[in-house]
Amino acid sequence: MPANKNALIRYKTIDNCLRNHYRRWTLDDLVDACSNALYDMEGIRKGVSVRTVQGDIQMMRSDKLGYNAPIEVYDHKYYRYTDKDYSIMDMPLSQNDYEVMQEAVDMLRQLQDFDQFAEMSDVVSRLQDKLSITRNNRRPIIHFDNVSNLKGLKLLNPLYNHIAHKQTLRIMYQSFSASKPSEFILCPYLLKEFRNRWFLFGSKASNLLLYNLALDRIVSVEPVDVPFRENPDFDAEHFFDDVIGVSKNINNTPRRIKFWASGEQSKYIMTKPVHRSQVLLKQNKDDGSCIFQIEVVINFEMYSVFMSYGPGIKVIYPRQAVCYMRDKMKETAELYDKDWE
């Protein structure tokens, strides 16, 4: 059973006491030391009971947490380690400990694009070195999709800080269709990643109109002396509940989208839903094809997901989505009728 935070503080405190061989430690001394440590580190004023510390000593002596601490009572009153070099902080890693920590290191390395984790990165690197010494190196067994050197990644750190400090920004932004950059006085709220591309969500300081800016199209960012305004209609935690991707305005309402999927594609779609709202409406027992329904805001990303399935999916409702998919598929087919040589 994993120990809670306060228990770990007590274990470490008892360990520090027993490693000090120049003092004789009574049970009352250990109780006082643990009480002081919890007050200093957690602000807990309620003292630790004698019974609690006795239980901690028994836990440290046992192998439940892997300590097996050699704690003895001598002169019927004092506590000490029989091995003067022992410490719970010097425990060797078990194979399971190593594997769990290795996977944690692999995951933490995915945060390397953020300077906010620079200090953590140093800790992770040192931990990795320690693990490499402890065990033979092995290939990673977890891999996250990651594209290095993406344009706009250098803006992640300054934008993160500006959002954290609620700093209004002047952003020069040039979309793919624009011939020159446009200026936005923006109150930034959120950074969001979708398919290895980063986006900044924020509202215009003048009218709180919500904007979604791709970081790779931002030309420049600078703080401005304009009051920061919160947008009461933007809930970062739930804003994307009814959307695929990032394209959505506050006033957009989700629509019921029905689509047919072939028997082959249905197998994948059942195990990896197109959206969290997905429900199965009907299944053809003869060929395995299915009709599904989702409730999302209609946007470009939704269409791109459907088109990625090719002939394995057909949108059947609403008419707006049916017409869009039909026209795009027709354009695609016509491309293959052209001679490109």
Side-chain angles (χ1 to χ4, degrees), residues 112-225:
Q112 60 187 351
D113 290 326
F114 288 91
D115 283 346
Q116 285 71 23
F117 296 97
E119 186 174 342
M120 180 188 295
S121 177
D122 179 61
V123 173
V124 170
S125 296
R126 286 187 278 116
L127 179 58
Q128 179 65 69
D129 290 340
K130 181 68 174 178
L131 292 175
S132 298
I133 294 172
T134 305
R135 293 287 190 276
N136 294 329
N137 288 322
R138 63 161 172 78
R139 294 180 179 179
I141 59 176
I142 292 181
H143 183 268
F144 293 90
D145 194 17
N146 184 31
V147 180
S148 59
N149 299 320
L150 283 176
K151 186 178 179 182
L153 287 183
K154 64 181 180 180
L155 296 174
L156 281 175
N157 297 304
L159 288 174
Y160 180 101
N161 286 323
H162 292 321
I163 293 173
H165 293 92
K166 297 186 177 182
Q167 172 64 59
T168 305
L169 304 172
R170 175 183 286 112
I171 297 177
M172 300 304 295
Y173 185 82
Q174 186 171 4
S175 66
F176 287 114
S177 59
S179 58
K180 61 180 182 179
S182 299
E183 180 184 271
F184 290 84
I185 304 300
L186 203 75
C187 301
Y189 303 139
L190 179 73
L191 288 165
K192 180 172 174 61
E193 184 267 345
F194 179 67
R195 290 186 173 178
N196 289 313
R197 196 178 184 204
W198 284 90
F199 300 85
L200 172 67
F201 281 79
S203 291
K204 266 193 171 183
S206 58
N207 56 14
L208 292 185
L209 186 63
L210 187 69
Y211 279 88
N212 165 17
L213 306 180
L215 265 60
D216 58 356
R217 306 308 303 164
I218 293 178
V219 178
S220 64
V221 175
E222 62 176 345
V224 291
D225 189 18

Side-chain angles (χ1 to χ4, degrees), residues 7-31:
L8 291 175
I9 292 174
R10 297 196 306 269
Y11 299 154
K12 185 175 180 181
T13 301
I14 295 171
D15 179 67
N16 288 335
C17 292
L18 299 186
R19 289 172 61 196
N20 181 359
H21 307 295
Y22 300 100
R23 175 173 173 177
R24 290 153 66 91
W25 296 95
T26 67
L27 185 59
D28 288 338
D29 292 333
L30 297 177
V31 169

Side-chain angles (χ1 to χ4, degrees), residues 221-238:
V221 175
E222 62 176 345
V224 291
D225 189 18
V226 175
F228 186 92
R229 298 177 63 189
E230 296 284 1
N231 189 328
D233 296 322
F234 179 72
D235 181 356
E237 186 175 356
H238 299 291

Side-chain angles (χ1 to χ4, degrees), residues 186-309:
L186 203 75
C187 301
Y189 303 139
L190 179 73
L191 288 165
K192 180 172 174 61
E193 184 267 345
F194 179 67
R195 290 186 173 178
N196 289 313
R197 196 178 184 204
W198 284 90
F199 300 85
L200 172 67
F201 281 79
S203 291
K204 266 193 171 183
S206 58
N207 56 14
L208 292 185
L209 186 63
L210 187 69
Y211 279 88
N212 165 17
L213 306 180
L215 265 60
D216 58 356
R217 306 308 303 164
I218 293 178
V219 178
S220 64
V221 175
E222 62 176 345
V224 291
D225 189 18
V226 175
F228 186 92
R229 298 177 63 189
E230 296 284 1
N231 189 328
D233 296 322
F234 179 72
D235 181 356
E237 186 175 356
H238 299 291
F239 184 76
F240 301 98
D241 287 353
D242 55 7
V243 65
I244 296 174
V246 295
S247 300
K248 177 189 176 184
N249 292 320
I250 289 176
N251 295 326
N252 288 152
T253 56
R255 300 284 306 276
R256 288 198 312 273
I257 312 295
K258 296 180 182 180
F259 61 95
W260 168 92
S262 67
E264 180 180 0
Q265 293 293 0
S266 291
K267 297 175 184 177
Y268 295 99
I269 294 172
M270 283 183 179
T271 56
K272 186 184 178 183
V274 173
H275 184 259
R276 59 192 296 178
S277 63
Q278 177 176 301
V279 293
L280 173 64
L281 298 181
K282 184 178 179 181
Q283 183 173 22
N284 188 319
K285 295 183 178 180
D286 294 330
D287 61 8
S289 63
C290 297
I291 295 178
F292 297 95
Q293 176 180 291
I294 58 176
E295 290 196 32
V296 297
V297 169
I298 295 177
N299 61 9
F300 172 78
E301 292 96 312
M302 182 200 76
Y303 287 128
S304 67
V305 168
F306 283 143
M307 286 189 282
S308 70
Y309 287 96

Side-chain angles (χ1 to χ4, degrees), residues 303-339:
Y303 287 128
S304 67
V305 168
F306 283 143
M307 286 189 282
S308 70
Y309 287 96
I313 273 186
K314 177 183 178 181
V315 177
I316 56 179
Y317 181 85
R319 181 170 177 78
Q320 167 193 353
V322 173
C323 292
Y324 182 94
M325 289 291 294
R326 181 192 61 203
D327 293 344
K328 290 300 179 182
M329 289 299 183
K330 183 177 179 181
E331 291 177 19
T332 302
E334 290 174 350
L335 287 176
Y336 286 93
D337 292 334
K338 294 181 178 179
D339 187 1

